[in-house]
Amino acid sequence: MSEGNGAPADWVNPLRDRRDKRMPRIAGPCSVVIFGVTGDLARKKLMPAIYDLANRGLLPPTFALVGFARRDWADEDFAEVVYDAVKTHARTPFRQEVWDRLAEGFRFVQGTFDDDEAFVRLSETLHKLDEERGTGGNHAFYLSIPPNAFPAVCEQLSKSGLADNPDGRWSRVVIEKPFGHDLASAEALNATVNSVFPESSVFRIDHYLGKETVQNILALRFANEMFEPIWNAHYVDHVQITMAEDIGLGGRAGYYDGIGAARDVIQNHLLQLLALTAMEEPVSFHPSELQAEKIKVLSATRLVEPLDQNTSRGQYAMGWQGGQKVVGLLDEEGFSKTSTTETFAAITLDVDTRRWAGVPFYLRTGKRLGRRVTEIALVFKRAPHLPFDTTMTEELGKNALVIRVQPDEGITLRFGSKVPGNSMAVRDVNMDFSYGSAFAEASPEAYERLILDVLLGEPSLFPVNEEVELAWKILDPALQNWASHGSPDPYESGTWGPESAFEMLHRSGREWRRP
């Protein structure tokens, strides 16, 4: 049989049916509603990212942005707030014509989360946008609010019918971390959200997964044959995953006190980086295949015991940072003098799979450390035989492959090389790849990628509830152990953490990298 154009029935026109994967996908008709629109996240990240998407031509001309907050604002007041945020924080240049088109879709709804009438007004506003601007009944609800407010907002979205998906339309909810504070609360939170939104409509934001360098882990591993044969326990001695910050917590007591470094960073960011580093090759990059491999790895990951020797927590004390004397946490505004909140956390993990059996994964994070850096370092075993005198290799360390996530995004390969001269001396050298110098186009901000993926319904970079719950299962024993051991170990600001963290590695003859 043949089609009307004379072609066989099973013939596929490649120009018609094969989309060039290099071309960016543009969101269809839709709107975004931001709850918590007056907060720092909305002002510094979300609003600028939406403008940058519009500036890159990735949002539909009829896109609408709705703010929801207590403020007594008119639509014009809200537009002014967005304008200030864009002018201050946008990544791409300001273009008046882009702004004018985008601002036509701005609306503001005043109300509180327990105000039924406010959600009626929100529903009316969205229906009017559907009619006037053609947003198609497709709405993403961004909960840039404290987790304890999630249930109230989800219940209101359900009561007002805004969570429904009639006639092929979609409603999606975007949730910022923390996803609970332990396993039990995470399970309760997931149950609450899933009672209103199916899991396919829930997008849990981990902004680290939107970073180009994090996504490049997949390209590095699965597009290059040279790395796969050595990406295992036969060659890798251990893996270090570090997220260090040089800033303190002044003014952030309301969010951070009682949460701490492990809940804030390890449970989400660092365990996700571990999963991408340790996972097996997925059958495809379809979201369900990626998520399945991450879930397998997290299911096989456990803390190394005894926990007193294989975990560490600390709290920064007075010290020097960037040439300035800084106070310790207990003297920061808003923190109690008796606070036991840790600002540094390190844990040792085993991944019980054939690929990684016997390779410890060391995860650490902290505030007021030596410098701001996030990296994944695969440290390789020494060569089984070195045909050199000891003096020839006394400056030679272990080979390492380091994926630099921020701030200088790229990859470093450290290996031994002969020192020029008549003698045979070998020492470490670095071979660097830098995103900034290799590509002319600047990497988009993580929130640009993630917000666009929400609007496209592309969930690859968003943890599903099983990943969240597995991460808490891994971390909870350490949190419970620390809770019974009094205060964290103090460490001087500007250093690399408490002595207990260094002892954790010294016991096995290893050392932390000094980025």
Side-chain angles (χ1 to χ4, degrees), residues 49 167 169 287-288 292 350 425 441 456 468:
D167 305 323
R169 302 176 180 185
S288 62
D350 276 343
E441 183 178 354
L456 293 170
V468 171

Side-chain angles (χ1 to χ4, degrees), residues 233-427:
H234 294 298
Y235 298 96
V236 177
D237 178 78
H238 68 280
V239 179
Q240 297 184 22
I241 303 179
T242 297
M243 179 182 167
E245 295 183 274
D246 55 7
I247 59 173
L249 287 161
R252 294 191 63 202
Y255 164 73
Y256 201 89
D257 199 18
I259 293 180
R263 288 184 173 95
D264 186 43
V265 174
I266 291 180
Q267 186 274 336
N268 39 73
H269 301 330
L270 297 195
L271 283 174
Q272 282 289 320
L273 294 183
L274 178 148
L276 292 170
T277 303
M279 63 185 262
E280 296 300 319
E281 181 179 351
V283 174
S284 72
F285 285 131
H286 187 276
S288 62
E289 303 291 351
L290 278 172
Q291 290 158 355
E293 295 303 333
K294 287 196 291 178
I295 287 170
K296 288 180 187 177
V297 168
L298 294 173
S299 299
T301 301
R302 60 177 175 83
L303 286 163
V304 176
E305 295 184 340
L307 297 181
D308 290 344
Q309 296 181 12
N310 291 291
T311 68
S312 168
R313 64 172 180 151
Q315 187 182 86
Y316 67 80
M318 182 179 65
W320 291 87
Q321 195 104 48
Q324 293 184 334
K325 196 169 187 178
V326 295
V327 301
L329 180 82
L330 301 184
D331 292 315
E332 295 276 22
E333 178 187 352
F335 283 91
S336 166
K337 295 291 185 182
T338 59
S339 174
T340 59
T341 299
E342 83 276 0
T343 60
F344 176 96
I347 60 176
T348 309
L349 297 170
D350 276 343
V351 179
D352 293 330
T353 63
R354 181 183 292 265
R355 180 184 292 270
W356 295 112
V359 177
F361 281 70
Y362 299 109
L363 277 56
R364 65 172 169 171
T365 183
K367 307 286 187 184
R368 289 278 186 225
L369 297 183
R371 61 175 293 224
R372 174 177 174 261
V373 62
T374 301
E375 66 173 34
I376 303 164
L378 278 77
V379 181
F380 292 91
K381 296 177 179 178
R382 291 190 182 278
H385 173 65
L386 290 173
F388 306 97
D389 293 339
T390 303
T391 56
M392 296 178 181
T393 57
E394 60 186 358
E395 295 184 62
L396 180 65
K398 293 180 179 178
N399 299 157
L401 178 66
V402 182
I403 301 169
R404 303 190 307 273
V405 177
Q406 68 176 14
D408 179 25
E409 295 91 344
I411 299 169
T412 296
L413 185 62
R414 187 181 73 192
F415 56 93
S417 179
K418 180 185 177 298
V419 179
N422 294 328
S423 63
M424 173 61 80
V426 183
R427 72 179 182 202

Side-chain angles (χ1 to χ4, degrees), residues 50-59 92-95 97-98 101-102:
I50 286 171
Y51 169 81
D52 289 331
L53 288 172
N55 210 6
R56 294 165 58 203
L58 299 177
L59 295 182
T92 59
F94 185 82
R95 291 195 293 157
E97 65 274 19
V98 173
R101 185 177 67 241
L102 188 63

Side-chain angles (χ1 to χ4, degrees), residues 124-165:
E124 292 171 349
T125 298
L126 292 176
H127 288 314
K128 189 174 289 187
L129 284 169
D130 292 339
E131 297 170 0
E132 295 177 355
R133 290 187 59 79
T135 46
N138 301 318
H139 310 299
F141 301 98
Y142 202 118
L143 306 191
S144 179
I145 55 178
N148 59 12
F150 292 172
V153 174
C154 287
E155 181 182 352
Q156 291 283 17
L157 292 174
S158 178
K159 284 168 57 177
S160 60
L162 290 172
D164 299 336
N165 302 305

Side-chain angles (χ1 to χ4, degrees), residues 3 10 25 112 210 268 281 330 334-335 353 358 362 423 439 448 464 474 508:
E3 294 185 328
D10 59 352
R25 295 176 64 190
T112 58
N268 39 73
E281 181 179 351
L330 301 184
F335 283 91
T353 63
Y362 299 109
S423 63
F439 298 105
E448 290 177 52
V464 296
I474 294 167
S508 61

